[in-house]
Amino acid sequence: MSAEAHSVGLLSPVILLAAAVIAVPIFKRIGLGSVLGYLTAGLIIGPFGFAFFSDSASILHIAELGIVMYLFLIGLEMKPSHLWSLRREIFGLGTLQITLSSLALTGVGLAFGFSWQIAFIAATGFVLTSTAIVMQLLDDRGDINQPRGQKIVAILLFEDLLIVPLLAIVAFMSPDPVVESVSSRWQGIGIGIIAIAGLIAAGYWLLNPLFRLLAAAKAREVMTAAALLVVLGSALLMQVSGLSMAMGAFLAGVLLSESTFRHQIEADIEPFRGILLGLFFLGVGMALNLSVVANNWQLILSAVVAMMTAKAVMIYVVARITKTSHPDALDRALLMAQGGEFAFVLFAAATSAHVIDETIKSTLTAIVVLSMVLTPVIGIIFKKIYKPSHQENLDGIDEANGLNGSVLIIGFGRFGQVMSQSLLANGLDVTIIDSDIKMIKNAEKIGFKVYYGDGARLDILHASGAGNAQVIAVCIDDKNSANQIVTLIKHEFPFAKVLVRAYDREHSLQLVKADVDFQIRETFESALLFGEATLKAAGVSQNEASNITQEIREREKIRFDMEVSADDLYASLGVRYNNTTSKTTKSLIESKRDRDI
């Protein structure tokens, strides 16, 4: 092969990488974010800029793998139990938002003079929010694992599922004779169900043994290859079954969410995800056909404004109906007001089925792409002119930034206030963060310096000095948030000692399994002392009351340690140790434990 051929082959990736490397840091430096940087770079180097590339569709097709890998990583953070807890948001909130938004957007299309078929296609394409853009914006803000972020993720997952029935509806709308029989349609549905069941079965019985085998071989590059194989294989299985690639990757991630190899897999996939997702945004920027916009600029610009406004209003209404606060509802409405990448798939299918023509397809595509480009801009403007509810009250309160204490305390309620006193009295360098503004102000009145910050966000932990802290004490009273913080700390700051306030016995067991250095139930010791005082008040001697308290404390420790051991044994057998376990099974497990001891 000639040197010229080599240089031509390398030119395209060099231009793509150079555009990203130049544009993204500049846009982030001036506060416009990485997404807008990628989109602008794509527009500049694309067919309607300097024309380094002529086929943006092929780049978008490859870059869709970025979305696939992003959904896989999101799945890794969603244990099946957590996903089940979001079922109302996925199917209830998602259905309500999609239904109302589709009706409103169809009305907008009819108002612009389109036929009902075109108006419906435009509405259903625009209602499918851009997973890539919203996820990236949530990630930049550190909101993916926050309650408001989790609701948005749930809605996006529902929209991923929706693409399948929408494509079927487009086929029914075709004016051409429908060759496909009813039986073949049912056959397609059956294939999809079988594919999902097969993926779940493979994840449950094959993935963990596979990664254990590869880990034993101690070949890091093979582990990375296996992680990519799982992501791409699950995506391919869903694609050939007529379903969403992203949904297949997400399911694979969920199935591996409780694996001991979860963090290793996440670290292996992350670089590929970032590069491909950036490539996707570059492709979207290239896809903005400026000639179509120039020829139909009045229609396109007015349609973008009307459709984004209608969708945002409906999202806000649904959010308020479901008792979301005004700031969070407004934030969700602006964040999800754009069309998404699945619209391109839907418009292409509608064109193939002769429901819309190429001119309409180009116009609708330009509307969706322009809405995607405008979303980061609107977010920045919104952030400048409107402060979220917690920001409105931050006058006089310092946010966590550039802190560097040897002990980091997360949560300064009653528990944190009491435990911190001995540290401060000893002169230790203590950093305290909390997200309750009222509590922070009250603490400052009595001489405590508490910084504003959410300990469940990685950026806040870094800003609070978690990377340099010898000890991190988690003192919040929400066990789910505490577990999330512990997982984050153990993964990102493995050298810090982690001490956690436990909510109850079950939470204590979870924390022990998470390998924290110390945990204590918030009411256990105080209840023991209260019982000891009651004994003395009832006439029992001081010595006897103290002995009884100590005996209970030791007996509870033995029972707790036995339960931890039993859970470990049950986990190795694939079952869970609890109060409903049969006596026979318990005795077998306990006898095995005794033999092992």
Side-chain angles (χ1 to χ4, degrees):
M1 186 178 289
S2 66
E4 289 79 9
H6 275 297
S7 63
V8 171
L10 286 174
L11 183 60
S12 295
V14 166
I15 292 173
L16 287 170
L17 291 172
V21 168
I22 294 171
V24 173
I26 293 174
F27 274 73
K28 291 200 76 171
R29 183 65 180 268
I30 60 179
L32 297 180
S34 59
V35 174
L36 195 56
Y38 281 120
L39 294 172
T40 305
L43 182 61
I44 292 172
I45 65 176
F48 309 101
F50 288 108
F52 290 115
F53 297 91
S54 58
D55 186 10
S56 60
S58 61
I59 292 176
L60 274 174
H61 183 69
I62 296 171
E64 283 178 5
L65 293 176
I67 303 171
V68 167
M69 292 185 179
Y70 212 142
L71 265 293
F72 176 76
L73 293 176
I74 295 300
L76 283 177
E77 300 296 331
M78 294 230 180
K79 295 182 180 180
S81 58
H82 180 56
L83 191 62
W84 178 250
S85 71
L86 289 174
R87 63 191 182 280
R88 291 183 180 178
E89 284 79 5
I90 294 174
F91 296 105
L93 182 59
T95 300
L96 187 59
Q97 178 173 309
I98 295 299
T99 301
L100 293 182
S101 298
S102 296
L103 291 173
L105 291 170
T106 302
V108 170
L110 293 172
F112 273 85
F114 293 122
S115 67
W116 72 267
Q117 293 94 335
I118 296 175
F120 177 79
I121 294 298
T124 51
F126 203 88
V127 83
L128 300 175
T129 309
S130 173
T131 300
I133 285 181
V134 173
M135 287 293 198
Q136 185 66 48
L137 292 175
L138 286 174
D139 193 23
D140 287 345
R141 300 185 334 189
D143 279 349
I144 285 182
N145 292 319
Q146 299 303 304
R148 61 180 180 180
Q150 290 286 281
K151 288 183 179 180
I152 292 173
V153 171
I155 297 169
L156 292 173
L157 291 175
F158 181 77
E159 291 179 355
D160 278 349
L161 289 171
L162 199 64
I163 186 63
V164 179
L166 285 178
L167 289 172
I169 292 172
V170 167
F172 277 112
M173 293 173 65
S174 174
D176 298 333
V178 180
V179 179
E180 188 180 27
S181 65
V182 174
S183 61
S184 63
R185 292 196 195 101
W186 281 109
Q187 183 180 2
I189 294 172
I191 290 172
I193 294 173
I194 292 171
I196 293 174
L199 180 59
I200 293 173
Y204 190 78
W205 282 296
L206 296 180
L207 291 185
N208 271 314
L210 169 65
F211 281 104
R212 275 197 295 269
L213 183 65
L214 296 175
K218 296 183 178 180
R220 175 67 187 272
E221 69 280 2
V222 178
M223 285 284 287
T224 303
L228 289 171
L229 175 63
V230 169
V231 178
L232 300 180
S234 56
L236 178 63
L237 177 62
M238 292 296 103
Q239 184 185 43
V240 298
S241 305
L243 301 175
S244 161
M245 289 195 299
M247 182 54 58
F250 175 79
L251 283 175
V254 171
L255 294 170
L256 283 169
S257 62
E258 293 183 325
S259 168
T260 54
F261 305 99
R262 177 169 70 91
H263 294 305
Q264 179 64 54
I265 296 169
E266 186 176 3
D268 289 337
I269 292 296
E270 178 63 30
F272 298 97
R273 189 276 303 175
I275 292 171
L276 287 171
L277 200 60
L279 186 61
F280 174 81
F281 294 131
L282 285 168
V284 171
M286 294 181 200
L288 183 56
N289 191 327
L290 295 181
S291 60
V292 172
V293 175
N295 294 332
N296 303 280
W297 68 270
Q298 291 178 314
L299 170 64
I300 290 174
L301 291 181
S302 57
V304 168
V305 172
M307 296 186 83
M308 291 186 76
T309 302
K311 186 177 179 183
V313 168
M314 289 299 102
I315 293 172
Y316 178 84
V317 169
V318 170
R320 294 296 282 161
I321 289 173
T322 53
K323 300 180 179 179
T324 300
S325 66
H326 167 69
D328 284 354
L330 191 58
D331 181 62
R332 187 190 307 169
L334 294 178
L335 197 64
M336 303 186 73
Q338 83 289 139
E341 49 276 355
F342 284 125
F344 307 143
V345 177
L346 193 69
F347 295 160
T351 305
S352 299
H354 300 110
V355 179
I356 61 176
D357 59 29
E358 284 291 341
T359 302
I360 294 295
K361 176 192 172 186
S362 297
T363 302
L364 294 180
T365 300
I367 291 170
V368 170
V369 171
L370 199 55
S371 74
M372 294 169 75
V373 172
L374 287 175
T375 297
V377 179
I378 293 172
I380 292 165
I381 295 172
F382 170 71
K383 187 176 180 181
K384 297 290 184 184
I385 65 176
Y386 183 86
K387 293 181 179 180
S389 58
H390 73 268
Q391 293 279 348
E392 294 172 356
N393 300 311
L394 279 180
D395 294 336
I397 295 178
D398 294 329
E399 295 187 72
N401 188 23
L403 305 176
N404 196 22
S406 60
V407 178
L408 172 61
I409 298 175
I410 302 172
F412 201 63
R414 291 170 297 172
F415 191 94
Q417 291 168 23
V418 173
M419 67 81 60
S420 66
Q421 292 181 32
S422 56
L423 304 178
L424 296 169
N426 195 53
L428 290 177
D429 185 8
V430 178
T431 297
I432 307 171
I433 64 171
D434 201 295
S435 57
D436 187 332
I437 294 171
K438 184 178 179 181
M439 189 282 306
I440 294 174
K441 290 183 175 180
N442 290 335
E444 288 190 346
K445 290 177 183 178
I446 57 175
F448 288 98
K449 181 60 179 178
V450 181
Y451 295 89
Y452 178 83
D454 183 354
R457 289 176 50 174
L458 181 58
D459 58 333
I460 297 298
L461 289 175
H462 278 294
S464 302
N468 298 314
Q470 298 176 17
V471 178
I472 301 177
V474 183
C475 302
I476 62 176
D477 60 359
D478 184 335
K479 63 180 179 180
N480 292 326
S481 296
N483 289 340
Q484 180 183 330
I485 293 170
V486 167
T487 301
L488 203 57
I489 293 170
K490 296 297 288 185
H491 182 234
E492 299 291 337
F493 313 104
F495 300 110
K497 292 184 177 179
V498 185
L499 291 77
V500 190
R501 166 194 187 178
Y503 180 77
D504 53 21
R505 184 188 186 87
E506 181 184 1
H507 190 207
S508 290
L509 287 168
Q510 293 171 355
L511 293 171
V512 169
K513 292 174 185 177
D515 198 26
V516 300
D517 295 279
F518 178 80
Q519 55 74 32
I520 187 168
R521 277 171 275 172
E522 57 189 11
T523 57
F524 180 68
E525 281 295 328
S526 58
L528 278 181
L529 294 176
F530 193 91
E532 182 178 334
T534 306
L535 284 174
K536 289 187 286 186
V540 177
S541 68
Q542 169 72 48
N543 188 47
E544 186 177 357
S546 298
N547 288 338
I548 291 172
T549 300
Q550 185 59 27
E551 183 181 344
I552 294 172
R553 184 182 287 113
E554 291 174 356
R555 190 188 309 154
E556 168 61 17
K557 184 179 186 306
I558 292 171
R559 280 202 300 261
F560 186 82
D561 291 343
M562 289 178 66
E563 194 164 346
V564 171
S565 301
D567 265 354
D568 290 340
L569 286 170
Y570 268 67
S572 68
L573 296 174
V575 293
R576 182 174 176 80
Y577 188 91
N578 53 43
N579 292 332
T580 62
T581 307
S582 70
K583 291 182 178 179
T584 304
T585 308
K586 281 183 179 179
S587 64
L588 287 172
I589 290 296
E590 287 163 2
S591 64
K592 182 181 186 302
R593 181 183 66 235
D594 293 340
R595 288 198 304 272
D596 292 342
I597 293 171

